[in-house]
Amino acid sequence: MSSIDLIRMGVKNLWRRKLRTFLTVLGVIIGTSSIIVMLSLGFGLTEGFQEQISQWGDLTTINVHQRWVDPSMPGQEQAKLDDKAVLSFKEIPNVLAVSPTLETYGAVINGRYIAQIPIKGIDPDVMTEFGFETVEGRLLNNTDELAVVFGGGMKHNFWDPNARIWREPKIDLMKDRMSLTLNPNYGYEQPGRDTPNYKEYKIKSVGVLVEGNWETDYGIYMPIKEVQKLIKDKEKSENAKPQRGQSESQYQQINVKVNDMKNVQDVQETIKSMGHEAYSLNDQLESMKQTAGIIQAVLGGIGAISLLVAAIGITNTMVMSIYERTKEIGVMKVIGASLKDIKRLFLFESALIGLLGGILGVIFSYLLSFIINHFGASFMGNFLGTGGESDISIIPIWLVFAAMAFSALIGIMSGYYPARRAMNLSALEAIRTE
């Protein structure tokens, strides 16, 4: 029997019993769509977690801090965050850029309006690599003096300390004349209390960052050498000793930019082995992914039960088909059909049921996914805090092909026992049955 004859006969047999074939295919459709939709909810949850955390900062940036060492424990040396550490981090594979950072606090003065903010020193040469983008102006360069780049949300951070009713001022971060003081209590000074004589610096705004990143929205950025000078002036005003990590030889923190999110964990472990503390938002994302994976496994298991029921339905259909076609099977054997041909015929019919159910199940899954995303996206956005932009159900293309292949495989497995039974029928007994 040729393959074309086998296909023609298999399709004819299924079409002859349309209602039973339809009901069997319907079971596969329900089972396949259940698995796809259930897994897609897990993928949507993972994507929502990633979108939420990406708003907190860059997922490919590692924050390196100085590890605390118990002074009472002998023989322990504290790894320093200095220029030597910066060079060693640059030599780690998959590291794209490294920038030491210094941070202090002060206030930006714009007429009668003020804004208390963190002042962050960064290496201007690597701002592009770290993903800084401006909506106005430009990024910093090494020749800038008392030049600042404002965070995207800084225009909402100004207020009038003397106003009785708060009104959001109209601030132009690029054009307004502004000054900077390192007085952390500016605008909150209490009468009768001595306040150090902090300097006031005229600053020049060279750029405003894109709004939407919680890590960069509220604060100003300056070249690290400028922040070092400001910290020295602040210490002189306060008659304070230099704080650890704020000298020219040591930094408070070093940021390491990795070329790909999948390499963050390896680079982070390498930095920890050097004696430093390293943290990235990837740590929290991995924890959330594990939670989403557990939920996805549970949902997938529920969907798998539906497909198991569909597999039982295919087996039942094929067994019933054997009882109804006993004489046909006997005639095929008498006229010379091989046992292999009979087995292939029944396996083809069961595989066709599984594949057809898988294809229609995929189409039905996309329809369900569209409905879920259309009516449930706002709920997911409120739950994750992403503003309703996340899809609840995400169906990757590989899941589509995997589902169709799996449903066809389920069909073949379900038809294997009926096919073996058809092979073992005696030709004479089969003909004599009817």
Side-chain angles (χ1 to χ4, degrees):
M1 182 183 294
S2 66
S3 298
I4 296 178
D5 292 335
L6 185 144
I7 293 172
R8 185 184 295 115
M9 184 177 295
V11 173
K12 183 179 179 181
N13 290 331
L14 293 176
W15 183 254
R16 190 166 53 192
R17 298 166 180 83
K18 294 186 286 291
L19 180 59
R20 188 166 63 193
T21 301
F22 169 75
L23 294 176
T24 308
V25 171
L26 181 61
V28 181
I29 292 173
I30 295 174
T32 304
S33 59
S34 296
I35 287 184
I36 293 177
V37 172
M38 293 297 183
L39 292 178
S40 72
L41 293 176
F43 293 128
L45 191 61
T46 301
E47 190 72 19
F49 284 149
Q50 183 167 329
E51 181 181 342
Q52 179 192 24
I53 294 180
S54 65
Q55 293 181 352
W56 301 351
D58 191 352
L59 291 171
T60 57
T61 298
I62 300 174
N63 307 122
V64 184
H65 300 272
Q66 197 170 54
R67 179 175 294 174
W68 181 82
V69 175
D70 189 350
S72 63
M73 298 293 292
Q76 291 190 4
E77 293 185 4
Q78 192 173 49
K80 296 181 179 180
L81 292 181
D82 51 16
D83 292 331
K84 185 177 179 181
V86 172
L87 293 176
S88 64
F89 295 160
K90 289 181 179 179
E91 295 175 357
I92 300 175
N94 300 314
V95 169
L96 187 64
V98 179
S99 173
T101 61
L102 286 177
E103 185 171 315
T104 187
Y105 289 86
V108 174
I109 307 165
N110 184 350
R112 68 176 185 272
Y113 300 109
I114 63 171
Q116 277 88 11
I117 40 85
I119 305 163
K120 305 175 183 180
I122 191 172
D123 183 358
D125 292 335
V126 295
M127 291 189 74
T128 302
E129 286 78 0
F130 275 91
F132 288 91
E133 295 181 12
T134 57
V135 67
E136 290 183 81
R138 60 171 175 84
L139 296 176
L140 299 169
N141 59 54
N142 279 313
T143 60
D144 287 329
E145 295 183 0
L146 293 177
V148 302
V149 169
F150 280 93
M154 277 299 300
K155 60 185 177 182
H156 309 298
N157 212 34
F158 285 85
W159 64 289
D160 184 355
N162 298 317
R164 295 184 179 181
I165 300 175
W166 185 86
R167 294 178 181 175
E168 184 172 352
K170 295 181 180 180
I171 302 293
D172 190 328
L173 296 176
M174 288 294 295
K175 296 180 180 179
D176 290 354
R177 292 182 179 180
M178 287 179 275
S179 58
L180 173 68
T181 176
L182 297 186
N183 181 1
N185 298 316
Y186 189 89
Y188 295 98
E189 293 93 342
Q190 296 181 5
R193 176 174 293 185
D194 292 335
T195 302
N197 186 21
Y198 292 100
K199 289 185 178 180
E200 202 169 297
Y201 308 88
K202 292 183 179 180
I203 56 174
K204 176 185 177 183
S205 175
V206 297
V208 180
L209 298 178
V210 175
E211 190 173 1
N213 188 322
W214 296 352
E215 190 175 32
T216 61
D217 272 352
Y218 300 101
I220 62 173
Y221 288 86
M222 301 179 69
I224 193 168
K225 59 182 179 62
E226 292 294 299
V227 176
Q228 287 174 334
K229 295 177 183 178
L230 295 179
I231 292 175
K232 283 185 177 181
D233 290 343
K234 182 179 181 180
E235 290 167 353
K236 289 180 181 178
S237 301
E238 297 175 346
N239 293 319
K241 295 180 180 180
Q243 299 180 20
R244 186 182 67 180
Q246 292 186 342
S247 65
E248 294 183 4
S249 60
Q250 266 187 279
Y251 305 107
Q252 296 168 330
Q253 176 180 307
I254 296 178
N255 293 333
V256 178
K257 177 73 173 181
V258 183
N259 58 3
D260 197 291
M261 196 168 64
K262 64 183 180 181
N263 299 320
V264 170
Q265 289 294 328
D266 292 336
V267 175
Q268 192 169 332
E269 291 302 320
T270 303
I271 293 174
K272 287 182 178 179
S273 67
M274 295 178 175
H276 304 283
E277 286 294 338
Y279 168 80
S280 68
L281 291 175
N282 231 26
D283 296 336
Q284 194 159 353
L285 179 61
E286 288 300 319
S287 176
M288 289 182 170
K289 281 184 176 180
Q290 291 178 2
T291 302
I294 295 173
I295 297 174
Q296 191 176 42
V298 173
L299 295 176
I302 296 173
I305 294 175
S306 301
L307 195 57
L308 176 62
V309 174
I312 296 173
I314 294 175
T315 303
N316 179 66
T317 297
M318 301 310 298
V319 170
M320 291 298 297
S321 179
I322 291 173
Y323 286 130
E324 294 174 357
R325 296 158 58 188
T326 302
K327 185 175 181 180
E328 177 185 334
I329 295 170
V331 172
M332 290 174 60
K333 288 186 176 183
V334 170
I335 63 177
S338 65
L339 297 178
K340 183 178 180 181
D341 289 336
I342 296 174
K343 180 180 179 181
R344 289 171 57 201
L345 176 62
F346 279 86
L347 288 178
F348 169 74
E349 291 180 13
S350 60
L352 185 60
I353 291 175
L355 181 60
L356 184 60
I359 294 174
L360 296 177
V362 167
I363 297 174
F364 188 57
S365 299
Y366 272 108
L367 177 62
L368 287 176
S369 180
F370 173 78
I371 294 173
I372 291 172
N373 289 332
H374 182 73
F375 292 102
S378 59
F379 169 78
M380 176 63 82
N382 294 332
F383 175 71
L384 294 175
T386 56
E389 299 178 357
S390 298
D391 287 336
I392 297 179
S393 173
I394 297 177
I395 304 177
I397 190 63
W398 65 264
L399 181 59
V400 171
F401 292 105
M404 290 190 294
F406 186 63
S407 59
L409 179 62
I410 289 293
I412 294 173
M413 294 174 62
S414 302
Y416 184 77
Y417 169 73
R420 292 279 297 180
R421 183 163 182 162
M423 288 172 55
N424 294 330
L425 280 177
S426 170
L428 295 178
E429 291 292 332
I431 294 174
R432 194 162 48 192
T433 299
E434 300 183 9

